[in-house]
Amino acid sequence: MNDIARIDKWLWAARIFKTRSFAADACKNGRVTIKGINVKPSHTIKAGEVVSVKKPPVTYSFKVLKTIEQRVGAKLIPEVYENVTDAKQYELLEMSRISGFVDRARGTGRPTKKDRRQIDAFVDPALFGFEEEEDEDEIF
């Protein structure tokens, strides 16, 4: 076991990110911090440091217990880090989960069933009107 490890490898090995490239991208985009300072993917970490990872809308915090660079089984994760995320962050996550599509801005995303019915009610009469005009043109 090494005393130090690269942050991108540790984030992947500790199963915080699905791939190492996702972990590296998070570091490059300023979503991984140690002591409030953004870190590069090549930054080395030691046991005892607290790593903060922003996965909107939550900022998770992990205390490094063991520095590893090889991915381990999910059952061994409690030996690798301790989750020290603030309880308020989980409340924020639950609130965003409850809200769901309630905050969907009008006109974005797929239409709701009600929107679809209003669109159909608006479009259908216009189509029937055009069909009647075309029939009259064909007769004359």
Side-chain angles (χ1 to χ4, degrees), residues 42-112:
S42 61
H43 182 83
T44 55
I45 58 167
K46 294 176 256 178
E49 289 184 321
V50 177
V51 178
S52 297
V53 179
K54 291 178 196 161
K55 289 187 178 182
V58 180
T59 302
Y60 296 96
S61 298
F62 305 103
K63 183 177 181 183
V64 180
L65 301 177
K66 193 176 188 182
T67 55
I68 58 170
E69 290 190 346
Q70 295 293 315
R71 200 162 172 103
V72 295
K75 291 181 179 179
L76 300 176
I77 292 301
E79 299 172 12
V80 177
Y81 67 79
E82 179 184 347
N83 190 345
V84 292
T85 306
D86 189 24
K88 290 179 184 177
Q89 295 293 326
Y90 286 113
E91 290 174 16
L92 187 68
L93 180 65
E94 190 61 32
M95 291 302 291
S96 68
R97 195 175 282 154
I98 290 170
S99 67
F101 282 99
V102 173
D103 296 333
R104 179 177 73 90
R106 189 154 176 81
T108 59
R110 293 177 59 175
T112 62

Side-chain angles (χ1 to χ4, degrees), residues 7-21 23 69-72:
I7 187 72
D8 62 338
K9 285 186 178 183
W10 184 82
L11 289 169
W12 166 74
R15 296 179 173 267
I16 295 167
F17 287 99
K18 189 173 183 176
T19 66
R20 184 171 161 204
S21 60
E69 290 190 346
Q70 295 293 315
R71 200 162 172 103
V72 295

